[in-house]
Amino acid sequence: MNFIQELETELVRHKNNENAVKMEAYMKHHFSFLGIKTETRRAVFQDLWKKHQSEIQYNFREISWELFIKKEREFQYCGMEILIKEIKKKYLKEDDKLIEQWIVTNSWWDSVDVLAKYLLGDYLLQFPEETLTVIERFSNSENMWLNRSAILFQLSYKQKTNFELLKSECEKHKHSNEFFIQKAIGWALRDYGRFNPNAVKSYVENTNLKPLSKKEALRNILK
């Protein structure tokens, strides 16, 4: 694939070992980095994307996945950006399995939060009839990142948020001691609180959420 080969050559050319050390430390050494700052990576990436637009549009699932399973995180970011843009309004019903595969691969907050909002969230807007089935499967999984995605997928929904479903997810996971779950509950409630602050405040005050979840949920409402 010409695009991937050229992208790899160009990104490696911009490698910065000093930046890489700092980036890897920030990400708790879960991933390797080339040390390329976001604006530089995106500039290189966008130029090559335009150059190979036809190739990418025709093979975006394969290309994005090949990038996502590469070692360095910069390639994984590129893979996510390709998939999210190219798949929009082109989802297949069976793509829930693809989305699950992405979420559980190379998982950390910086990838999962983007995938939950822009991939899972968009998929369920295109296939709303799949929402309860998919979210129940993700929510009941032993994989914490799928649980987090089930809580966060409505972040882009605004007034379309199914608050009953959100509350159900909060109830299911409210006793979790996992930081990323407690934080997700608070974030999802805070986000919906921008559109329905009274409902969120009432729910939080009448539910025994973990302190972190409660603090995050009410952070803007109590200002």
Side-chain angles (χ1 to χ4, degrees), residues 142-199:
E142 294 183 0
N143 184 287
M144 181 267 293
W145 298 109
L146 289 175
N147 300 161
R148 181 173 168 96
S149 298
I151 297 167
L152 294 178
F153 81 97
Q154 296 189 88
L155 284 177
S156 59
Y157 284 21
K158 301 180 181 179
Q159 293 94 335
K160 296 179 181 178
T161 300
N162 182 335
F163 189 40
E164 293 304 313
L165 178 57
L166 174 56
K167 288 190 291 184
S168 174
E169 288 305 301
C170 294
E171 290 297 316
K172 185 180 293 186
H173 298 287
K174 67 183 181 181
H175 297 301
S176 173
N177 291 319
E178 173 56 62
F179 169 84
F180 287 108
I181 295 299
Q182 293 181 24
K183 193 85 169 179
I185 290 172
W187 182 12
L189 290 169
R190 183 175 73 249
D191 184 74
Y192 182 60
R194 292 184 296 146
F195 308 100
N196 196 344
N198 291 333

Side-chain angles (χ1 to χ4, degrees), residues 48-204:
L48 290 176
W49 192 340
K50 291 175 184 176
K51 179 180 177 182
H52 296 278
Q53 193 167 21
S54 296
E55 177 191 353
I56 292 170
Q57 288 178 343
Y58 186 73
N59 296 298
F60 70 85
R61 282 178 168 82
E62 294 81 2
I63 290 173
S64 61
W65 182 248
E66 186 169 335
L67 289 171
F68 196 66
I69 59 177
K70 283 186 175 292
K71 180 181 178 182
E72 289 85 7
R73 199 62 163 168
E74 286 90 346
F75 291 112
Q76 296 167 19
Y77 293 148
C78 291
M80 282 195 301
E81 289 176 21
I82 287 174
L83 182 64
I84 289 168
K85 180 177 179 180
E86 296 293 340
I87 204 171
K88 194 172 183 66
K89 298 182 180 179
K90 301 176 190 172
Y91 289 98
L92 306 174
K93 186 162 283 191
E94 59 267 27
D95 277 337
D96 63 308
K97 303 299 191 303
L98 176 147
I99 293 167
E100 182 172 352
Q101 181 183 35
W102 275 75
I103 290 172
V104 301
T105 303
N106 292 322
S107 308
W108 198 239
W109 61 265
D110 62 326
S111 60
V112 171
D113 293 358
V114 172
L115 295 169
K117 179 178 178 179
Y118 294 105
L119 197 63
L120 179 60
D122 277 0
Y123 168 82
L124 292 175
L125 284 176
Q126 184 171 326
F127 296 109
E129 70 278 9
E130 296 296 309
T131 300
L132 295 182
T133 300
V134 172
I135 294 307
E136 182 177 14
R137 187 172 87 243
F138 283 22
S139 183
N140 291 338
S141 171
E142 294 183 0
N143 184 287
M144 181 267 293
W145 298 109
L146 289 175
N147 300 161
R148 181 173 168 96
S149 298
I151 297 167
L152 294 178
F153 81 97
Q154 296 189 88
L155 284 177
S156 59
Y157 284 21
K158 301 180 181 179
Q159 293 94 335
K160 296 179 181 178
T161 300
N162 182 335
F163 189 40
E164 293 304 313
L165 178 57
L166 174 56
K167 288 190 291 184
S168 174
E169 288 305 301
C170 294
E171 290 297 316
K172 185 180 293 186
H173 298 287
K174 67 183 181 181
H175 297 301
S176 173
N177 291 319
E178 173 56 62
F179 169 84
F180 287 108
I181 295 299
Q182 293 181 24
K183 193 85 169 179
I185 290 172
W187 182 12
L189 290 169
R190 183 175 73 249
D191 184 74
Y192 182 60
R194 292 184 296 146
F195 308 100
N196 196 344
N198 291 333
V200 169
K201 185 172 183 290
S202 176
Y203 171 70
V204 172

